[in-house]
Amino acid sequence: MQTCYLAVDIGASSGRHIIGTVEHGVMALHEVYRFENRLIEKNGHLCWDMEGLVQNVIEGLKAAHDAGYTPTTVGIDTWAVDFLLLDADGTPIGDPVAYRDGRTAAMREELEPILPFTKLYARTGIQYQSFNTVYQLCALKKEHPEQLAAAEHFLMVPDYLNYRLTGVMANEYTNASTTALVGAISKDWDDEIINRLGLPRKIFGRISTPGTKLGNLSSAVKDYVGFDCTVVLPATHDTGSAFLAVPARDDKAVYLSSGTWSLLGVENKDPITTPASMQANFTNEGGYEYRYRYLKNIMGLWMIQSIRRELNGVSYVEGKDTHQQTDEDELPPFTHEAIEWGFPDLIAHAKEADSFEAHVNVNDDRFLAPDSMIDEIRRACFETGQDVPQTVGQLMRCVYVSLSSCYAESIAEMPSLTGRTYTSINIVGGGCQDAYLNELTTRACGIPVFAGPVEGTSLGNLAVQMIADGAFPDLQSVRDAIATSFDVKRFE
């Protein structure tokens, strides 16, 4: 039987189980399970359905076995910053609040006298985002101090899923680095920051690196799914995995992981924590083999996904009534057809509105979790004195122009910060399939775009598993195999 590996890749809106194989240096992927991931409203907060995620992870393992695969290893990657607290018995404390919740809105200002952001950035190199883990923990401390007092363990989302599979607790480096609690240089929990914020140091465990073999499936999981395998830590932050799959031609390539979020940047050997870098709001996330992902988090396809859901009457929050657009006196009406909107429909309408040039700041927190993405974009255009989108095509054109302009502005900032010039953009992830966005991006940035592979995050996840198992000697050999195994399209 051919050796195979299983990547469990979970994003903010969906998850998938991907089997990976390699034969004569050629990699192949087989999707065996897919599921939806949506938020729920609980106790006044937006939360993740963690038990639903755990069950879907396990069901996906069973689906792989039912499809005839017995993976040698399995690795899980998810989004960053969110976490669970566990008590001494390993039971979760409180609700798994999601980063899109508004509880952290004023935390940076509240913490400034205790821990100025200039110091936080200088020590951790992590860009400001209102939902950073450091702010989430401080918001939790303010609202529910009893939960922190009862906590014995801090696990990020993939850490917790691994724990439920194996019974082993471990904090993985690439995800831990996004908390703004890990030193950029030390690569370990920063005790000074933790102490200044009055957080319990005991909850933060030893940090493990990608490639670590965590353990085998627990007996209960093994009996249910029908096989046993070793759980290996990939770069559990999905961007960390996605960057590993970029088949870049040289060190002058910009990487863009395009999905719900757009993560745009480069790999560096050392962190850049200068005042100029802080001002430009670039981040230094930890990567495989202690590479640094020097990048910007950009809102990404979330805006497009939200528009599509809203047009189709589906909320991104489980069980929440779909918002109906408001007819505000100062805004012109918004009209659209009552059809089932797909992404190709949205793209086609955007192309038809190619003369519409209004744009918004896609990184504005107002677009994180609005009741209506359509309303919020229209209001933003109105408030800045621009034409207000009145059709689906104009709305989509606004988002596309805004995204590609943000990519161009971010790339233009990078040479003065890194000392390097950049001659291409390499896009991986589901967003690389959007040819219209690729065309606008190469036009805005003035350099060619190389789009693919689509399943970049799963490939990066699998790459670490394959190296750990000896299927490849090192990362470069895997990247070479990815370049020859999967289609990459050029736009210029």
Side-chain angles (χ1 to χ4, degrees):
M1 183 179 295
Q2 186 180 22
T3 300
C4 65
Y5 310 86
L6 177 60
V8 182
D9 171 30
I10 307 176
S13 55
S14 66
R16 61 210 58 80
H17 289 54
I18 306 288
I19 288 287
T21 60
V22 56
E23 187 171 6
H24 304 303
V26 177
M27 299 176 68
L29 302 180
H30 311 273
E31 182 179 303
V32 293
Y33 190 75
R34 182 175 285 263
F35 60 93
E36 187 177 24
N37 184 21
R38 293 169 70 188
L39 297 172
I40 56 176
E41 284 188 321
K42 189 175 182 182
N43 297 322
H45 292 293
L46 294 178
C47 301
W48 298 110
D49 177 9
M50 285 307 303
E51 287 307 306
L53 286 176
V54 170
Q55 192 57 42
N56 271 302
V57 168
I58 294 172
E59 290 296 336
L61 296 181
K62 186 175 186 299
H65 182 260
D66 292 346
Y69 298 103
T70 304
T72 298
T73 61
V74 60
I76 300 175
D77 66 77
T78 77
W79 66 95
V81 305
D82 289 342
F83 63 90
L84 295 91
L85 299 179
L86 280 65
D87 63 18
D89 296 326
T91 302
I93 301 170
D95 300 322
V97 179
Y99 65 86
R100 293 194 187 277
D101 185 77
R103 64 176 175 170
T104 60
M107 289 312 303
R108 175 175 176 174
E109 291 73 19
E110 289 189 32
L111 293 180
E112 198 65 18
I114 304 168
L115 182 63
F117 182 71
T118 53
K119 184 176 183 68
L120 183 64
Y121 187 86
R123 295 185 70 89
T124 68
I126 297 300
Q127 74 175 108
Y128 170 73
Q129 295 180 113
S130 62
F131 49 76
N132 282 347
T133 314
V134 63
Y135 300 130
Q136 291 200 48
L137 281 166
C138 290
L140 178 65
K141 180 185 175 186
K142 182 179 179 180
E143 183 181 9
H144 290 295
E146 75 283 358
Q147 293 183 12
L148 272 173
E152 292 290 332
H153 307 282
F154 165 93
L155 295 180
M156 303 193 77
V157 171
D159 301 335
Y160 180 71
L161 296 175
N162 285 329
Y163 165 62
R164 291 294 297 270
L165 288 185
T166 66
V168 179
M169 295 187 192
N171 294 127
E172 188 273 327
Y173 171 64
T174 66
N175 226 308
S177 74
T178 70
T179 62
L181 293 168
V182 171
I185 300 298
S186 70
K187 306 177 185 68
D188 202 353
W189 301 113
D190 191 307
D191 289 344
E192 180 178 342
I193 291 174
I194 291 170
N195 291 336
R196 278 198 183 206
L197 298 176
L199 301 173
R201 178 63 178 85
K202 66 179 181 180
I203 67 175
F204 302 101
R206 183 176 65 85
I207 293 178
S208 300
T209 55
T212 299
K213 295 181 179 180
L214 196 61
N216 281 37
L217 301 179
S218 68
S219 57
V221 173
K222 179 175 61 177
D223 290 346
Y224 181 77
V225 303
F227 68 96
D228 193 15
C229 68
T230 303
V231 175
V232 170
L233 296 181
T236 67
H237 182 198
D238 50 13
T239 311
S241 280
F243 267 43
L244 297 181
V246 175
R249 289 144 199 80
D250 51 45
D251 62 359
K252 296 181 179 180
V254 173
Y255 297 3
L256 174 56
S257 175
S258 181
T260 300
W261 287 89
S262 291
L263 297 311
L264 184 148
V266 294
E267 280 187 336
N268 286 338
K269 294 180 179 178
D270 301 295
I272 301 174
T273 59
T274 61
S277 179
M278 180 191 73
Q279 189 65 34
N281 211 32
F282 274 80
T283 202
N284 297 265
E285 296 174 352
Y288 180 65
E289 293 181 334
Y290 292 124
R291 292 169 166 80
Y292 291 88
R293 300 189 306 282
Y294 189 66
L295 55 83
K296 267 196 177 181
N297 287 272
I298 299 169
M299 193 68 72
L301 303 186
W302 163 252
M303 299 175 74
I304 296 173
Q305 294 165 352
S306 297
I307 290 169
R308 176 176 178 266
R309 276 193 291 262
E310 193 172 337
L311 290 173
N312 291 333
V314 179
S315 173
Y316 67 91
V317 180
E318 188 73 44
K320 185 175 181 179
D321 290 338
T322 305
H323 178 81
Q324 298 296 320
Q325 287 89 45
T326 57
D327 293 324
E328 299 187 33
D329 292 340
E330 69 270 25
L331 295 181
F334 179 77
T335 60
H336 64 88
E337 300 173 71
I339 63 172
E340 183 69 22
W341 289 87
F343 292 115
D345 302 312
L346 297 177
I347 294 169
H349 279 67
K351 288 181 177 180
E352 291 174 1
D354 62 358
S355 62
F356 191 81
E357 290 300 323
H359 63 278
V360 297
N361 174 12
V362 296
N363 292 324
D364 194 320
D365 282 352
R366 69 190 298 168
F367 301 123
L368 266 177
D371 287 338
S372 167
M373 185 65 76
I374 294 172
D375 280 0
E376 207 63 46
I377 294 169
R378 280 162 43 82
R379 287 195 198 102
C381 291
F382 177 80
E383 291 166 7
T384 52
Q386 303 178 88
D387 290 337
V388 176
Q390 299 182 54
T391 66
V392 171
Q394 291 177 351
L395 185 75
M396 291 303 303
R397 170 72 181 180
C398 176
V399 174
Y400 276 119
V401 169
S402 301
L403 280 173
S404 58
S405 296
C406 186
Y407 298 161
E409 291 164 6
S410 299
I411 292 172
E413 292 177 298
M414 291 171 59
S416 65
L417 299 170
T418 65
R420 304 203 304 270
T421 57
Y422 300 97
T423 58
S424 66
I425 306 169
N426 289 248
I427 306 179
V428 297
C432 79
Q433 301 172 94
D434 193 328
Y436 182 57
L437 181 56
N438 295 340
E439 291 166 2
L440 291 180
T441 298
T442 190
R443 195 181 308 163
C445 299
I447 52 179
V449 163
F450 295 89
V454 175
E455 290 291 351
T457 303
S458 296
L459 279 169
N461 181 326
L462 292 165
V464 174
Q465 295 184 57
M466 291 175 176
I467 293 170
D469 192 49
F472 288 98
D474 52 34
L475 179 58
Q476 188 56 55
S477 62
V478 182
R479 281 178 164 163
D480 291 342
I482 290 172
T484 57
S485 301
F486 299 96
D487 182 38
V488 176
K489 296 180 180 178
R490 178 174 179 140
F491 297 80
E492 58 183 343

